[in-house]
Amino acid sequence: AEQREMDRAMVESKDRATLARVDVGMEASDGLASAELEAKVRQLQKALSLAKMDLAAVRLERDKALAEAENTKVSANSMLRASHKDLADEKGAREMCNTKAAVAQREA
């Protein structure tokens, strides 16, 4: 009976040792999976950070292009107004010359 008790205790001890090894193995496996996930998260965070910097650079370039286009538009409108004023001044001067010519012709 003592032998059976010792055998049973040994089996239970082996079972506990096996379960402990399985638990340690699972924890190690979980730890490895966790480390792999953490590495993936860091990699994705880095990629996201780079994408945000790229987006910021694109937005900056877009804003510069829009500002340049607005400046070009303002400059073109200013030149157009000046051109219209020059044409109006030229038309007025021509009409004045025509009027003087007509007056001079009548007097002659």
Side-chain angles (χ1 to χ4, degrees), residues 17-86:
T18 301
L19 287 174
R21 280 196 301 274
V22 168
D23 284 346
V24 168
M26 289 176 67
E27 286 177 14
S29 176
D30 288 348
L32 181 60
S34 179
E36 289 172 352
L37 287 175
E38 288 175 11
K40 273 284 191 204
V41 166
R42 283 192 299 277
Q43 182 182 12
L44 290 172
Q45 286 173 333
K46 188 175 184 179
L48 178 60
S49 178
L50 291 173
K52 284 180 179 179
M53 286 191 289
D54 288 346
L55 180 59
V58 167
R59 285 180 175 163
L60 181 63
E61 287 298 316
R62 179 203 61 196
D63 291 347
K64 284 181 185 177
L66 287 173
E68 186 176 325
E70 182 63 24
N71 288 341
T72 301
K73 177 183 146 190
V74 167
S75 177
N77 284 338
S78 177
M79 290 170 55
L80 185 60
R81 280 192 296 277
S83 177
H84 284 155
K85 185 181 179 315
D86 289 346

